[in-house]
Amino acid sequence: MDKENKIRQDTAVSIVCYNTPDDEMRSCLSYLVCHRLSNIYVIDNSKSTATKKITEEFPGTIYIPNNNTGFGSAHNIALRKSLKQDMRYHLVLNSDILLSPCILEKALEYLDTHSDTGALQPEILNSDGSPQYTVRLLPTPLDLIGRRFLPSILTAARKRKYLLQDADRKKVLQIHYMQGSFMLLRMEALKETGLFDERFFMYPEDIDLTRRISRSWKCIYWPGGSVIHAHRQESYHSLRLLRIHIINMIKYFNKWGWIFDKERRRLNTSVLNAISMQFQQSSTHKNY
């Protein structure tokens, strides 16, 4: 079996959409078809006739109309199909992600050679090429409240720490929170940890899944490739989505703990220690 056939046969991808612009969906599917993936699931929470017609243009794309049950719940429809078909890997992807050439092939090669890695996220960039800081510490309530509601002058240092802005983005880093816009998952890990928690309609389901996977597997920030994410931050512009965000973050902290979350403290400390080690190693190299 050649490499291209291997990627096509053992890897699936799911995209959850809701009234997604036609150009955005067409662009995303074009990139995926070029990467030779034949199991591309588009789960449409809006049941858009236009989206359905677009998927028919791309071989290997499977359109699934769905009641608007939420982000994680919709992805679970495709993830269950991957489990049933004994897929090795599954990519959870946003339609506003643009893939660079060969990135999936390279990312899958990393997973093939690192059998202890259960989830991987590449470098994610804004449209202007700046870093998006999608791998972060596990949030505390203060991290989220401060970023949104407090003056930036009071939260700048904490925000920098939370977003891991001092990490060396050219080095692999084991993390415990990755954003759901691009999550390359090992299905064997999901067999152990379970799928997205469907109690979360939208937003913290990616944090929840990453930290559950990281209990038994490594979750990796991988700098071997990058993607562009045209992130709209819709909850910053819509009161309805802000309300959904707040409600689901309350559910998240009810599940994991508000102030007292020993696991959060331990995992965050491990990430910060790793970044500190990176800094020390870089300083040592500069001195030679």
Side-chain angles (χ1 to χ4, degrees), residues 12-17 39-47 62-85 87 90 92 187 190 195-198:
V13 58
S14 57
I15 304 163
V16 172
C17 59
N39 291 279
I40 304 169
Y41 299 102
V42 175
I43 303 93
D44 186 2
N45 281 345
S46 62
K47 300 182 180 179
I62 303 160
Y63 177 81
I64 302 175
N66 185 50
N67 294 326
N68 190 10
T69 55
F71 180 86
S73 173
H75 274 296
N76 281 349
I77 294 172
L79 286 166
R80 292 188 182 99
K81 292 181 181 296
S82 285
L83 286 172
K84 187 175 181 179
Q85 296 171 9
M87 288 288 173
H90 188 108
V92 168
M187 294 307 298
L190 294 191
L195 307 181
F196 285 110
D197 187 335
E198 298 185 10

Side-chain angles (χ1 to χ4, degrees), residues 44-203:
D44 186 2
N45 281 345
S46 62
K47 300 182 180 179
S48 166
T49 302
T51 298
K52 184 177 187 298
K53 289 181 178 179
I54 290 171
T55 62
E56 293 170 354
E57 301 173 14
F58 296 92
T61 302
I62 303 160
Y63 177 81
I64 302 175
N66 185 50
N67 294 326
N68 190 10
T69 55
F71 180 86
S73 173
H75 274 296
N76 281 349
I77 294 172
L79 286 166
R80 292 188 182 99
K81 292 181 181 296
S82 285
L83 286 172
K84 187 175 181 179
Q85 296 171 9
D86 201 27
M87 288 288 173
R88 190 173 186 186
Y89 306 115
H90 188 108
L91 174 62
V92 168
L93 187 71
N94 275 16
S95 59
D96 56 0
I97 289 279
L98 297 180
L99 306 174
S100 56
C102 301
I103 185 171
L104 282 181
E105 180 181 331
K106 293 177 181 178
L108 289 165
E109 285 178 354
Y110 183 91
L111 289 182
D112 283 340
T113 56
H114 295 79
S115 59
D116 58 351
T117 299
L120 175 151
Q121 184 159 103
E123 183 177 29
I124 297 182
L125 305 174
N126 293 306
S127 299
D128 62 1
S130 60
Q132 204 162 99
Y133 302 114
T134 57
V135 294
R136 306 170 179 181
L137 294 179
L138 293 173
T140 67
L142 182 58
D143 290 320
L144 301 185
I145 293 171
R147 288 187 70 216
R148 188 177 289 269
F149 300 111
L150 297 180
S152 59
I153 192 172
L154 299 178
T155 61
R158 188 175 186 94
K159 177 182 176 181
R160 185 175 188 84
K161 179 180 177 181
Y162 169 61
L163 297 180
L164 303 178
Q165 292 182 345
D166 292 325
D168 187 340
R169 300 183 67 82
K170 295 181 180 180
K171 293 183 179 180
V172 169
L173 180 67
Q174 186 173 346
I175 44 113
H176 310 288
Y177 167 12
M178 61 177 64
Q179 189 191 74
S181 57
F182 185 116
M183 301 176 77
L184 185 55
L185 305 169
R186 186 184 299 274
M187 294 307 298
E188 185 181 353
L190 294 191
K191 289 178 183 178
E192 291 185 16
T193 63
L195 307 181
F196 285 110
D197 187 335
E198 298 185 10
R199 287 175 291 182
F200 305 120
F201 180 80
M202 193 163 59
Y203 292 116

Side-chain angles (χ1 to χ4, degrees), residues 201-236:
F201 180 80
M202 193 163 59
Y203 292 116
E205 68 285 309
D206 46 9
I207 314 174
D208 174 83
L209 181 60
T210 311
R211 72 181 290 178
R212 282 190 284 121
I213 292 174
S214 69
R215 285 176 163 177
S216 304
W217 300 77
K218 288 183 179 179
C219 296
I220 293 296
Y221 163 74
W222 171 75
S226 63
V227 300
I228 294 174
H229 183 205
H231 190 29
R232 290 182 288 268
Q233 292 187 309
E234 291 176 325
S235 70
Y236 279 78

